[in-house]
Amino acid sequence: MARGGATRARDRFYALCVAPSLAVLAVITLAPAIYLLVTSFTPLDLTRPETAWNFARPFENYRQMPADSRLMNSLWVQAKLSFWTVTLQLLIGFGFALLLNMRSRFLEALRTVFLIPMVLPPIVVAIIWKVLYTPDISPLHWGTTLLGFTVPALITHPDWALTAIIIADTWQWFPFTMLMTLAALQMMPQEMVDAAKVDGASAWQMTWHVTLPFLKGVLLVAGLFRLIDSIKAFPLIFILTEGGPGSVTEVTNYYSFLQAFNFSFLGYSSAITVVMLAATVLMSWAIIRLVGWGQHGD
Amino acid sequence: MSEPRTGRRHLLLGASALGLGALAAPPVLGQARPFAGQTLNGAAFQSTFFEYLRAFFPEFEERTGAKLNFNTQAFPVYNQRTDLELSTRGSALDVINVTFIYSGRWIGAGWLTNLSEFVNDRNRTDPAWDAADFVSGAQSAMQDARGNTYGFAWEAGAMLMAASRADLIDQAGKAMPTTFDELIAACDAVQGKENMSAFVADQLHHWNWIPYLMGHGGKVFRDPPGNLTPELATPQAIRAAGWYAELLSKYGPSGVLSFSDDQAMRTQIAGRANFRTQAITWLVPLAKHADSTVKNTVRYALMPAGPQGNFPGSNSHGLGIPVGSRRKELAWEFIKWALSKEMLNRIVETRGYPSVCRRSVITGEAFKQAMTLNGQDVASLYLQVLELGGRSGYMKYRTVPVFPQVGDTINRGIARIATRQQDAQASMRQAQQDAIQVLQRAGVTLDAN
C-alpha cells in the first residue's frame, strides 16, 4: 500500500517535471499545426482581409487541388527528386562507409573531409553549385571547353535541371548516411564476421548476408531522415532554378511557398502543406511497416 | 537708470505670446533637430540610386537628429519580404520602395499611407517642394483611382535598346534595327562574331517580352484594370511568345534563361553579348561603368517596333510609407529630402544617375550632359519612351494587383518554349489556363469566354 502510494507520488512528480516541456512543445509545435489546418479551410488571401476567417466553403482549397496541373506536376517532380536523392545518398553513403571502415590515420582524416558538405549552410552549398552550373563563370564549363567539348547550361536545360539539383543535394547529404552507416559498422560484433569467415563467405557474400542485414535498421532510419528532408528541399531550388525552366524542378514545397509568399494565397498554400504533412507521415509509417523497425539486432 | 521691472504679469504675457507663436508656426520647422533620438527604418531593392543616396545620409542625420537604418536587398527578396511585412500591417518599416508591379496590390489593399495628406498640409510640406514636378507617367503607378498619391517616384525605367558592339553591326552593313524583322536580321549578321552572342536578356520575361507581345498586337489582359481576363492564348500572343523564345534560344548565350538583370548587364559590359532591350538603368553602365570594355562601341536606340506599333516598357518605383509605420512624420521628412530637386540634381551631377523622375531635373543641363553617352543624346530617347507610355496608357496592365501571379505564369510559359518543352501554342494555352486558375483564386471576375 505504502509502496503504491510512493509510486503514485513519484509518477506525479515526474509528470510535474515534464509538464512545462510538454506545454512549450504544444505551443511551438501543435498550435502552428492547428492554425495551419484551420487556415486550410479558408480562402485566406493576404490582400483581402475579409477572407481570413471565412469558413463558408471549408473544402474549396482541397477541391481545387486535383484540377491544379502545376500542383500535380510538382508532386511528380517531388517523387523523382526524393527517389533519386535518397537512393543515391544511401548507396554512395553505404559504399564510402565500407571503404572508410578501417583503422588508419589517413582514412580518419578523409572522413572529416567528407563531412564538410554536410555542415555547410544550405545557402552556401546552393551558391557553390550556382557558380559551378553557370557557364560564363564556371570552372567546370571552362575545363570542358578546354578539352574541346561543350556542356549545356545544366540548370536551364529541361533534361538536366532536375539532375543538377539531384547531384548537388546528393553531394551535400551523402556524408550523413555515410556517417550513420560508419557508426553502425564500427559497432558490428566481430564474432559475426569471424563466424562468416569460418563458413567460407566471400567478401560479396559477407556484405550481402551479414553486413547489410545488420545495417538494415540504420539504413532505414537514415533513409527516412533523408526522405523527409528531400520533401523539404528548398534552398537549392530557390537559388539554382526557381522551379524552372518552366516547372521542371518545381517541387511541391516550392510551389506551396510561391502560393503563400509570392501570390498571398495562404489558405490554398496551407491546404497543400496539410496534404504534404499527411502524405509524409503516411509514407514514413508505410515504409517502417514494410521494411521493419529495429530488426537489425536479431 | 532704472532696471526694467519684470513682474508676474509680464511673465504671463510673454509666455502666452510664446505659446501662441508656437501654435502658429509649423511644428516641425519650429525645432532645430525635431527627430533627435529616433531611428528611421527603411528598405528598398538594390539599386545604384540608393547606393548614391547613401553617401548623403549623414547630412539627413545631422539635419534631423534621426538615425537612418536603410537596408537594400535583391529585387525578388525585397518584394517578398516587404509584401509579407505590409500584409501584417507591421511597424518594422517606416519608408519603403513602392515596387511598380506591386503598387496596385499594395495601394488597393490599403497597406500604404496616403501621401496627398502630407503634400497638401503646408505645415508638413513647403509648396516649393513642388510635387507637381514629378513626371505624370512615373507617378501614375503611385496613385489610386481617386487620384490620391501613395508614393513619389525615384526611378522611371524606360526601355531602350543598346548594342554593346555597334562596330560589328556597322561592319556587317546593318543599321541599328527599328523593327522586329530588322532585329532578327541584325542578330543573324552578328551572331558568333568575336565569340559574342547576338542578344541577351534577363529571366524576367513578364517585363522583357511584353513590348514584343504588344508589337505583335497581343495583350496580357483584355482591358485592364477593369477587365482582367487573360489574353495569353490568342494567336497574337502565341506568335509573339514563339518569336521571343526563338530570339532567346537562337541568339542568347548559354544559360541565358537563368540570367539576372546584373548578369545580363555584365555579359554586355564584358563584350560577350551585343543587343539587349531593357530599362535604361541597366544600359547606361555600358558607357559609364568602370569595368566596361564597350564604352567606345556602345550605341543606343528606341525599342524596335512590331507590325502593330512600338510599345517600349516603362515603369517607375517610388518611396512610400507603410500604413503601420509609427514614424510617418520622419519618413515623410526623408522622402522630401531624398527626392528634393536639390538632392536629385546633386546625384545627377556627381554620379550621372540616369532615371530621375522630376521634369525640372530631366530638362536641366546637368542631366543632358550626364546622358550624353558615347557622343549620343540618350536623354531625348528616355523622354520619348516616358511620353509614349504615359500617353496611351498601355502600361496599365502592369499595376493591377494580380500581376505578380500572372507574370509568373508568363515567365514559365516563355521558358517552356525556349527550352523546347512545348511548342508556343501548347505552352501559351497552359499559361492561359494557369492564369485563369490563379485569377479565380484571387477572386477576380473573368469573362466567360
Side-chain angles (χ1 to χ4, degrees):
Chain A
M1 192 67 183
R3 185 181 291 173
T7 307
R8 274 198 298 277
R10 192 186 58 198
D11 289 348
R12 266 202 304 276
F13 174 71
Y14 286 163
L16 274 174
C17 291
V18 174
S21 309
L22 287 178
V24 170
L25 195 67
V27 169
I28 62 172
T29 308
L30 281 181
I34 291 168
Y35 182 69
L36 182 82
L37 184 67
V38 171
T39 307
S40 77
F41 296 126
T42 71
L44 177 57
D45 174 348
L46 291 177
T47 59
R48 295 184 295 151
E50 73 278 7
T51 55
W53 296 101
N54 179 354
F55 294 99
R57 298 165 74 189
F59 298 105
E60 179 59 19
N61 290 325
Y62 294 95
R63 193 192 62 77
Q64 284 182 16
M65 281 187 204
D68 185 345
S69 57
R70 266 179 81 174
L71 175 64
M72 292 301 122
N73 174 68
S74 78
L75 288 169
W76 175 233
V77 175
Q78 180 70 71
K80 286 191 283 187
L81 179 75
S82 293
F83 174 79
W84 284 112
T85 52
V86 174
T87 305
L88 288 173
Q89 285 162 28
L90 282 176
L91 284 175
I92 297 173
F94 175 66
F96 271 89
L98 287 180
L99 290 173
L100 296 176
N101 186 29
M102 279 178 265
R103 293 198 187 282
S104 137
R105 282 202 173 165
F106 173 71
L107 288 180
E108 276 166 16
L110 208 57
R111 273 177 223 162
T112 316
V113 173
F114 277 123
L115 294 183
I116 291 172
M118 191 178 80
V119 296
L120 288 175
I123 211 77
V124 174
V125 173
I127 290 168
I128 289 171
W129 285 95
K130 176 85 174 178
V131 171
L132 284 172
Y133 286 147
T134 304
D136 52 347
I137 51 172
S138 164
L140 179 79
H141 285 265
W142 181 74
T144 53
T145 308
L146 274 186
L147 292 172
F149 58 96
T150 312
V151 174
L154 299 181
I155 50 175
T156 57
H157 195 291
D159 297 336
W160 284 100
L162 189 63
T163 309
I165 303 275
I166 290 169
I167 291 170
D169 193 72
T170 303
W171 178 81
Q172 186 184 9
W173 288 110
F174 88 82
F176 173 77
T177 49
M178 182 193 83
L179 194 67
M180 287 192 71
T181 314
L182 197 57
L185 276 175
Q186 294 190 342
M187 289 166 64
M188 193 166 155
Q190 189 57 36
E191 306 88 73
M192 283 171 73
V193 180
D194 292 341
K197 278 182 182 164
V198 169
D199 289 344
S202 64
W204 173 247
Q205 285 171 322
M206 185 94 81
T207 305
W208 190 252
H209 295 292
V210 180
T211 311
L212 259 180
F214 178 79
L215 294 176
K216 194 170 80 173
V218 169
L219 288 173
L220 174 69
V221 172
L224 260 183
F225 270 115
R226 292 310 314 139
L227 176 68
I228 293 166
D229 242 19
S230 74
I231 293 168
K232 295 191 290 183
F234 187 82
L236 280 174
I237 291 166
F238 184 68
I239 299 285
L240 293 182
T241 63
E242 294 181 41
S247 300
V248 168
T249 58
E250 191 173 73
V251 292
T252 315
N253 182 32
Y254 187 76
Y255 182 62
S256 175
F257 162 81
L258 285 183
Q259 292 293 325
F261 299 110
N262 277 18
F263 307 160
S264 294
F265 298 143
L266 254 76
Y268 188 60
S269 173
S270 300
I272 295 173
T273 314
V274 166
V275 171
M276 275 175 69
L277 180 67
T280 309
V281 171
L282 274 176
M283 208 159 48
S284 307
W285 176 79
I287 292 170
I288 291 166
R289 285 296 301 265
L290 198 71
V291 185
W293 183 273
Q295 304 293 314
H296 66 279
D298 295 345
Chain B
M1 277 185 60
S2 61
E3 295 259 341
R5 283 183 63 195
T6 316
R8 194 178 59 167
R9 190 166 295 172
H10 286 97
L11 275 173
L12 285 172
L13 274 172
S16 308
L18 271 174
L20 283 171
L23 281 174
V28 171
L29 299 177
Q31 301 165 46
R33 285 158 63 91
F35 301 103
Q38 294 188 25
T39 299
L40 181 78
N41 294 307
F45 62 82
Q46 285 157 356
S47 154
T48 47
F49 177 74
F50 294 110
E51 202 181 297
Y52 301 154
L53 188 65
R54 197 178 288 278
F56 299 104
F57 279 2
E59 289 182 18
F60 179 77
E61 292 178 328
E62 176 61 29
R63 198 163 69 86
T64 58
K67 188 176 175 306
L68 265 174
N69 176 26
F70 201 93
N71 292 307
T72 55
Q73 296 114 27
F75 187 74
V77 175
Y78 166 77
N79 289 329
Q80 267 168 15
R81 283 189 189 170
T82 310
D83 196 53
L84 196 61
E85 170 63 18
L86 289 174
S87 71
T88 63
R89 293 171 187 253
S91 58
L93 295 173
D94 302 305
V95 64
I96 56 162
N97 172 68
V98 181
T99 306
F100 188 62
I101 56 170
Y102 283 83
S103 62
R105 171 189 172 92
W106 293 351
I107 293 168
W111 295 345
L112 296 176
T113 302
N114 181 0
L115 298 184
S116 294
E117 292 169 8
F118 286 78
V119 173
N120 297 332
D121 182 349
R122 67 173 301 276
N123 285 335
R124 287 158 153 171
T125 311
D126 184 344
W129 189 70
D130 196 4
D133 188 38
F134 287 83
V135 179
S136 60
Q139 278 301 107
S140 61
M142 305 290 146
Q143 292 170 334
D144 66 9
R146 288 187 296 277
N148 291 318
T149 299
Y150 294 83
F152 280 95
W154 56 267
E155 178 183 74
M159 193 180 272
L160 295 176
M161 178 169 63
S164 63
R165 291 288 306 274
D167 55 322
L168 293 180
I169 302 166
D170 295 340
Q171 282 168 24
K174 301 279 180 191
M176 283 294 272
T178 57
T179 65
F180 292 176
D181 290 342
E182 286 177 18
L183 175 60
I184 294 293
C187 284
D188 268 330
V190 298
Q191 172 72 356
K193 293 268 168 69
E194 299 194 15
N195 287 324
M196 284 183 86
S197 300
F199 188 85
V200 69
D202 57 84
Q203 60 182 332
L204 283 183
H205 311 307
H206 65 59
W207 164 248
N208 296 313
W209 172 62
I210 310 300
Y212 296 104
L213 167 73
M214 291 179 171
H216 278 95
K219 290 189 281 189
V220 178
F221 300 110
R222 195 157 289 170
D223 186 17
N227 186 341
L228 298 183
T229 306
E231 297 264 283
L232 301 178
T234 60
Q236 296 90 334
I238 290 167
R239 194 164 56 247
W243 186 91
Y244 184 69
E246 181 78 2
L247 186 66
L248 292 178
S249 58
K250 191 170 174 187
Y251 303 111
S254 178
V256 66
L257 290 175
S258 68
F259 276 20
S260 64
D261 273 323
D262 190 61
Q263 217 175 338
M265 181 186 82
R266 287 188 180 275
T267 308
Q268 271 192 304
I269 278 179
R272 293 199 301 267
N274 209 331
F275 287 108
R276 186 182 183 195
T277 51
Q278 186 36 300
I280 192 168
T281 314
W282 297 103
L283 303 178
V284 168
L286 303 186
K288 293 205 162 187
H289 198 285
D291 298 338
S292 177
T293 62
V294 296
K295 281 178 186 164
N296 299 321
T297 55
V298 63
R299 194 175 299 159
Y300 298 89
L302 284 177
M303 270 279 307
Q308 301 302 320
N310 196 358
F311 302 90
S314 58
N315 67 8
S316 57
H317 300 289
L319 287 176
I321 305 174
V323 77
S325 164
R326 291 187 189 138
R327 304 201 193 288
K328 291 193 176 79
E329 299 294 338
L330 176 56
W332 178 238
E333 281 304 305
F334 177 78
I335 292 173
K336 280 192 299 180
W337 170 80
L339 302 181
S340 64
K341 292 176 188 172
E342 295 74 27
M343 179 54 68
L344 291 175
N345 267 316
R346 282 170 78 185
I347 290 178
V348 169
E349 281 164 21
T350 56
R351 308 296 180 110
Y353 179 65
S355 310
V356 285
C357 304
R358 275 189 179 272
R359 192 175 291 101
S360 60
V361 180
I362 297 172
T363 51
E365 195 52 39
F367 188 75
K368 194 174 177 188
Q369 261 182 13
M371 293 296 285
T372 301
L373 305 173
N374 197 21
Q376 208 182 343
D377 177 14
V378 182
S380 65
L381 295 175
Y382 176 65
L383 265 179
Q384 276 183 63
V385 175
L386 286 188
E387 281 167 7
L388 266 174
R391 211 167 34 228
S392 64
Y394 63 78
M395 292 305 294
K396 276 182 192 159
Y397 77 92
R398 210 166 175 82
T399 55
V400 301
V402 289
F403 186 74
Q405 290 95 311
V406 177
D408 182 71
T409 69
I410 290 173
N411 283 347
R412 289 176 197 281
I414 298 290
R416 282 192 299 267
I417 308 167
T419 54
R420 309 270 188 272
Q421 292 177 63
Q422 284 178 317
D423 62 27
Q425 189 171 35
S427 181
M428 294 315 286
R429 278 190 178 158
Q430 189 180 327
Q432 171 79 0
Q433 190 192 330
D434 291 346
I436 288 172
Q437 249 174 11
V438 290
L439 288 168
Q440 285 175 336
R441 198 169 293 138
V444 175
T445 308
L446 304 176
D447 289 350
N449 52 343

